[in-house]
Amino acid sequence: MIDADKAVPWIERKLEVTLAASQREAVRKAVSSKVMVITGGPGVGKTTLVNAILSILVVKGVKVALAAPTGRAAKRLSESTGMEAKTIHRLLEVDPKGGGFKRGVEEPLDCDLLVIDETSMVDVSLMASVVKALPDRAGLILVGDVDQLPSVGPGRVLADIIESGAVPVSRLTEIFRLALTVPNQDTI
């Protein structure tokens, strides 16, 4: 068990950031929950929060897998975390010959925690495959903005999970990303 009261100040020093109250609470949920959702619009600190959580868990020996529904999102996740991220299809080892995925109940993923970014783009079928491939011991963190791109396939997985009230949700609302200002042309 990870002591969040020690982990939060440690990670703030390590990353040289001051987490907002909502981010601190999300770290507490992440270290004490098997499944959780991190949601919020652009610029609210989801990336900083995910980095903080991952830094804490990796130092504690948790084996993490990162995935996203698209190659572009997986690349951004890799760049922001410094860890390898794959598309969900690649993580589950898509089987083009037989259809479906090689990873599943019979051959689960080798991780203690799976983080999926851009979860709003994941449909019901793909999420069912993820859940089947997740080992019983593993945790799951779903990250995304319910107001962003919806899934192409059926279902509103992220929105439905949030609305269900069945798992802890950290809804970040405080905007941290600074807007760029353009100087007045009269001053140029």
Side-chain angles (χ1 to χ4, degrees):
M1 188 73 175
I2 296 170
D3 184 345
D5 292 330
K6 291 179 182 173
V8 169
W10 176 83
I11 198 59
E12 286 180 324
R13 283 190 307 275
K14 183 177 189 307
L15 298 180
E16 298 178 353
V17 298
T18 300
L19 298 175
S22 59
Q23 291 173 312
R24 286 188 189 115
E25 184 55 34
V27 170
R28 292 182 202 301
K29 286 178 186 176
V31 299
S32 64
S33 303
K34 186 151 174 142
V35 178
M36 79 169 291
V37 172
I38 298 169
T39 189
V44 296
K46 294 186 300 286
T47 300
T48 299
L49 176 58
V50 168
N51 281 332
I53 292 166
L54 292 176
S55 295
I56 292 166
L57 296 176
V58 167
V59 131
K60 291 294 190 176
V62 174
K63 187 171 185 176
V64 176
L66 305 176
T70 67
R72 177 175 279 175
K75 184 175 185 207
R76 273 196 325 269
L77 184 57
S78 285
E79 290 169 352
S80 68
T81 62
M83 300 171 65
E84 180 186 24
K86 299 177 178 179
T87 64
I88 297 171
H89 286 80
R90 194 168 139 229
L91 180 75
L92 297 178
E93 299 176 24
V94 69
D95 180 7
K97 291 179 187 170
F101 300 101
K102 293 178 184 174
R103 295 296 186 149
V105 176
E106 300 295 319
E107 192 179 338
L109 296 169
D110 182 23
C111 64
D112 301 315
L113 173 69
L114 174 59
V115 177
I116 299 179
D117 197 11
E118 301 290 353
T119 308
S120 65
M121 295 170 32
V122 178
D123 66 22
V124 172
S125 172
L126 187 55
M127 186 55 75
S129 296
V130 166
V131 172
K132 286 178 190 170
L134 203 60
D136 291 341
R137 72 177 187 281
L140 178 64
I141 297 178
L142 303 174
V143 184
D145 178 356
V146 290
D147 296 323
Q148 287 293 65
L149 295 171
S151 63
V152 175
R156 309 171 339 155
V157 172
L158 184 62
D160 288 345
I161 289 171
I162 291 170
E163 290 171 14
S164 76
V167 300
V169 175
S170 288
R171 193 179 304 270
L172 305 178
T173 56
E174 187 177 342
I175 297 178
F176 298 100
R177 196 175 296 157
L178 298 175
L180 294 175
T181 57
V182 178
N184 183 329
Q185 290 193 355
D186 295 313
T187 61
I188 296 177

